[in-house]
Amino acid sequence: MPNGYSIESIIVNGLFTLGGVLLGSLMSTIRDLLALKSNQKIEYIRLEHKNRVEAYKDLSKFVRNLEQTIWPDNEEVFESFIEVCKNSLDGITASSPYYSRKVIKDLIMIESLYNKAMIDVNWEIGPEESVKKELPRIVENLYKRVLDDCQKWNR
């Protein structure tokens, strides 16, 4: 071989060069896959946060509507409660995965009152009295819990 190079050294040099190129390509591919997975996680978190915010916006509207039903000057608390729940409760409970456990517990209590009001049974305490008695406490707790949950996001 001219200039003192042997075939073995050329082959070894070529193999090391090829190995370096393959290793570099592999590292680049791994880095790109990790970045893609990271971007997917970020997008998932962003979408999850957006859905949670929308769920809590709807829940806040629902709570405000319930608060209006229990105003002291509202003579038709029971009918207003039925109307608010009929219009909104299904959509609110569908977003339950985004709510805290305490909020879900309050929503279950509201749903129970609504179901009791809708079922025509001879109750010991009529559904109207139950709604008038229990709804203000439940709505107050729910309002506080929604505010607490939203404040936790800002920390």
Side-chain angles (χ1 to χ4, degrees):
M1 276 271 134
N3 299 335
Y5 294 112
S6 66
I7 292 220
E8 293 86 21
S9 67
I10 293 172
I11 291 174
V12 169
N13 193 16
L15 288 176
F16 277 118
T17 303
L18 181 62
V21 168
L22 290 176
L23 187 60
S25 297
L26 180 64
M27 295 300 280
S28 176
T29 302
I30 290 172
R31 185 192 73 228
D32 291 344
L33 287 174
L34 290 175
L36 178 63
K37 187 166 180 91
S38 176
N39 288 341
Q40 287 175 337
K41 279 185 180 180
I42 290 170
E43 188 60 33
Y44 174 77
I45 290 169
R46 188 176 293 140
L47 182 61
E48 186 77 12
H49 181 71
K50 179 184 174 206
N51 290 344
R52 178 175 290 133
V53 168
E54 288 300 318
Y56 270 90
K57 279 183 183 177
D58 293 341
L59 180 59
S60 293
K61 290 176 190 172
F62 178 68
V63 170
R64 279 193 306 262
N65 289 338
L66 285 176
E67 285 177 329
Q68 291 173 358
T69 66
I70 58 174
W71 284 117
D73 61 343
N74 187 0
E75 297 293 326
E76 299 175 348
V77 172
F78 184 72
E79 292 79 11
S80 299
F81 170 72
I82 297 292
E83 190 65 29
V84 168
C85 288
K86 186 166 83 172
N87 292 334
S88 305
L89 190 59
D90 286 341
I92 296 301
T93 56
S95 298
S96 289
Y98 298 110
Y99 304 138
S100 67
R101 288 185 177 133
K102 291 178 180 180
V103 168
I104 292 171
K105 180 181 168 191
D106 288 339
L107 287 174
I108 290 171
M109 292 170 68
I110 289 172
E111 191 171 29
S112 175
L113 277 177
Y114 178 64
N115 289 339
K116 185 176 181 180
M118 296 306 293
I119 297 173
D120 188 23
V121 176
N122 193 8
W123 302 95
E124 279 183 36
I125 298 176
E128 287 190 40
E129 289 81 22
S130 293
V131 168
K132 289 178 183 176
K133 179 182 172 188
E134 297 175 33
L135 189 61
R137 179 187 51 82
I138 296 170
V139 170
E140 182 180 347
N141 287 340
L142 184 58
Y143 178 75
K144 288 177 184 176
R145 289 179 175 152
V146 168
L147 288 179
D148 288 344
D149 288 352
C150 292
Q151 287 175 351
K152 287 177 188 176
W153 295 345
N154 294 328
R155 291 183 192 168

